[in-house]
Amino acid sequence: MRGGGGVPTTVEERWRQFFRWGPYGLLGVASAIAAASANVFMDRTEQVAAGVLTAAVLLLHVVWDQRCRRVVAADGWGPEQPDGGPVLVPGAPGPASVGHFVLRTALAFALTWLNPFFAIYACVGYFDAVHLLPRRLAQAGLLVTAVTMAGSQSGGLPPASLTQWLAFGGLFALNACLAMGFSHLATKDAEKAAERAATIAELGRANSRLEQALAENATLQAQLLLQAREAGIADERRRLAAEIHDTIAQGLTGVITQLQAANATRDRERAEAHLRRAADLARQSLGEARRSVRNLSPAALEHDALPEALRKTVAEWAERTGIETRFTVTGAEEPLHDEVAATLLRIAQEALSNAARHSGAGRAGVTLSYMGDEITLDVRDDGRGFDPLARPERGGDGGGFGLDGMRARAERLAGSVAVETAPGEGTAISARVPLGAP
């Protein structure tokens, strides 16, 4: 990673720059000091030899630098070493880098032999031995560099006296220990860096998987929302169909009954009364159908609470059908949500309509009970009853849509509808709805 203007911004990049240009700088400094002290440490022949060796070292680095450029152009910096972190020298370690290190160390040793100040250049071996040499040879490279450095620090090679030999030995031990210690620490740092890099890479992969999971979750959520919307539309269609069906079915039942009664009587006034009642029922049913489409509550609840609306509905139904009917309210009356009141009224109307069409009952009873946290509606008749298991499917001639519609209405409010009946034993329909609904 580079900042603006090609300035290195990472530690790895700075080390790469050092390994490329550092040897040139150290060689320049060492050559300058060696030249200044040439008359002290070298005779004329040694000065010529030092010049030749310095040129050879400079050529060696130029050739090595060209090779590194070709490697980077062809293969990049290469994969990271398993225990060494990022690659700082392109193409290393390998036979070429080993040869470069050995030849360079030998030249540095020879230059230091001629003039101890060339150790300034030889110290580069401390920095790149671990990167240029395989692990099994890196320590040997450090020890050879330590020999060169100790020779320089002890006064030059070869030692000329016992004291100088002793100084050389002590300085070699010191250099070797420091080089090995720092090399070990560098290796540990590299291992930690490699572990951090592996952890970061794993976190990156985990983030990728998380992003993929989030995208899949978003897609799934969108599908669920679409399905919920379609289910809501279908439920609303069923509710609206049930509302219109119940309203029209109840109205038409009453209209047919009144028309039959009008045709059956020879009394003109009674016939006209039946016809007026049929017309009123038709208008009432039409109005209820329109209110259902507009999602309004039944007209009976427009001005009355549920008990009074049920009382009027039962009375009207009894008058119209001629069936003796009793309406009862038990428990303490409580205010009801409009949806609860409308649902129970529709269920009562549908149950009474079914009784008029199918039961052949002589008596019926409707009971509205307030039972603490719920309210129940019971509609009973002493008619012929039926076998619930043999009940016709929805849409059949028997009008099975009504029972399913009653259950659907109650279930929308977390309630339920139970039917108790048997052939010849009448029918009892009981609806239960929580008072807190919806």
Side-chain angles (χ1 to χ4, degrees):
M1 181 175 180
R2 286 177 175 272
V7 178
T9 57
T10 64
V11 175
E12 291 79 11
E13 187 65 21
R14 291 181 186 279
W15 274 112
R16 286 166 180 167
Q17 294 294 323
F18 173 79
F19 288 144
R20 180 179 181 185
W21 301 112
Y24 291 108
L26 294 174
L27 180 61
V29 172
S31 298
I33 298 177
S37 60
N39 295 329
V40 177
F41 295 100
M42 297 181 289
D43 56 22
R44 183 62 183 171
T45 302
E46 290 174 337
Q47 291 177 11
V48 173
V52 173
L53 292 176
T54 301
V57 169
L58 184 61
L59 178 62
L60 174 65
H61 280 290
V62 171
V63 173
W64 174 251
D65 184 54
Q66 293 296 323
R67 180 190 177 279
C68 291
R69 288 188 179 189
R70 290 195 299 272
V71 171
V72 172
D75 304 325
W77 290 93
E80 294 184 354
Q81 300 302 310
D83 298 327
V87 175
L88 302 181
V89 180
S97 64
V98 172
H100 169 76
F101 183 89
V102 171
L103 184 56
R104 189 195 67 191
T105 302
L107 291 172
F109 180 82
L111 285 170
T112 305
W113 186 285
L114 296 174
N115 189 321
F117 285 109
F118 277 109
I120 297 174
Y121 165 72
C123 73
V124 71
Y126 282 152
F127 297 98
D128 60 9
V130 175
H131 300 282
L132 292 176
L133 302 176
R135 174 172 291 185
R136 65 181 184 278
L137 297 178
Q139 293 184 355
L142 291 173
L143 292 177
V144 172
T145 302
V147 169
T148 305
M149 298 303 296
S152 172
Q153 294 162 358
S154 61
L157 294 172
S161 63
L162 178 60
T163 302
Q164 192 176 358
W165 272 107
L166 293 175
F168 172 78
L171 290 170
F172 171 72
L174 177 62
N175 277 272
C177 291
L178 291 175
M180 294 298 178
F182 286 123
S183 174
H184 178 73
L185 294 177
T187 301
K188 291 299 181 183
D189 287 342
E191 292 176 354
K192 292 181 179 178
E195 291 176 358
R196 286 195 295 270
T199 302
I200 292 173
E202 180 60 30
L203 288 175
R205 290 190 289 272
N207 286 335
S208 299
R209 292 194 293 270
L210 179 60
E211 291 176 356
Q212 182 179 1
L214 290 175
E216 293 175 352
N217 185 49
T219 302
L220 180 59
Q221 187 174 7
Q223 292 176 350
L224 291 176
L225 289 175
L226 178 61
Q227 292 174 356
R229 181 182 177 185
E230 292 176 347
I233 292 174
D235 184 66
E236 181 62 17
R237 286 176 177 171
R238 287 193 296 270
R239 186 196 66 79
L240 190 58
E243 289 278 353
I244 296 174
H245 170 272
D246 292 352
T247 302
I248 293 177
Q250 294 162 11
L252 289 178
T253 299
V255 169
I256 292 171
T257 301
Q258 296 303 318
L259 291 176
Q260 288 174 341
N263 290 331
T265 183
R266 294 182 179 178
D267 185 336
R268 184 177 180 82
E269 292 183 359
R270 293 185 61 184
E272 290 179 351
H274 285 302
L275 291 175
R276 285 195 300 273
R277 193 171 295 163
D280 292 341
L281 287 172
R283 283 193 292 270
Q284 182 180 356
S285 297
L286 179 60
E288 290 290 350
R290 288 173 175 170
R291 293 177 68 85
S292 296
V293 172
R294 295 171 184 171
N295 200 24
L296 299 175
S297 60
L301 295 172
E302 187 172 1
H303 302 291
D304 296 320
L306 178 62
E308 185 61 23
L310 277 176
R311 192 186 309 280
K312 292 180 179 178
T313 299
V314 171
E316 182 182 354
W317 180 83
E319 181 182 359
R320 187 172 68 244
T321 60
I323 300 175
E324 180 183 350
T325 309
R326 180 179 180 183
F327 175 68
T328 306
V329 178
T330 64
E333 295 185 13
E334 296 184 22
L336 300 176
H337 190 280
D338 293 343
E339 191 68 20
V340 174
T343 296
L344 293 177
L345 180 61
R346 292 296 191 198
I347 291 175
Q349 290 172 334
E350 179 64 18
L352 291 174
S353 176
N354 286 343
R357 284 181 292 172
H358 309 297
S359 71
R363 292 186 301 172
V366 178
T367 302
L368 182 67
S369 303
Y370 292 85
M371 303 175 65
D373 58 350
E374 66 178 10
I375 183 170
T376 64
L377 173 71
D378 298 293
V379 180
R380 307 169 304 280
D381 67 66
D382 62 351
R384 61 178 66 94
F386 62 94
D387 183 359
L389 300 178
R391 187 169 61 90
E393 296 295 334
R394 177 181 297 179
D397 296 339
F401 191 90
L403 286 175
D404 292 338
M406 284 188 276
R407 289 195 177 94
R409 289 177 187 279
E411 289 172 355
R412 280 201 295 271
L413 301 180
S416 62
V417 170
V419 179
E420 295 182 4
T421 183
E425 298 182 3
T427 302
I429 298 174
S430 178
R432 308 171 73 90
V433 176
L435 274 177

